[in-house]
Amino acid sequence: VAGVNVYMATSPILAQHSHGKAIDEIIKIAEKVITYVKDAGKEIRFSCEDTFRSNLEDVLAIYTAVGKLGVDRVGIADTVGIATPLQVQDI
């Protein structure tokens, strides 16, 4: 395995039904997972699941935090297919 792709639900509705974690908890979990994967010498991609129903400030806080940890890639997940091309461009 060359790398790992990690998703965490970040929209209020999906987080409520998926894991029930707040944004600060998501960041703490992501930090642990990213550190573990990087220490194993693997590439890691982190995606906010349901990005376009998430609060933009939350998404940016998460991506800023994971970026500081050296995540190799980030993904923007349009989980329910609601994003327009302009919304994707704006992110």
Side-chain angles (χ1 to χ4, degrees), residues 61-72:
I62 292 167
Y63 285 150
T64 298
V66 300
K68 289 178 182 176
L69 292 167
V71 72
D72 298 291

Side-chain angles (χ1 to χ4, degrees), residues 72-84:
D72 298 291
R73 298 173 187 219
V74 296
I76 301 172
D78 185 14
T79 304
V80 295
I82 62 168
T84 66

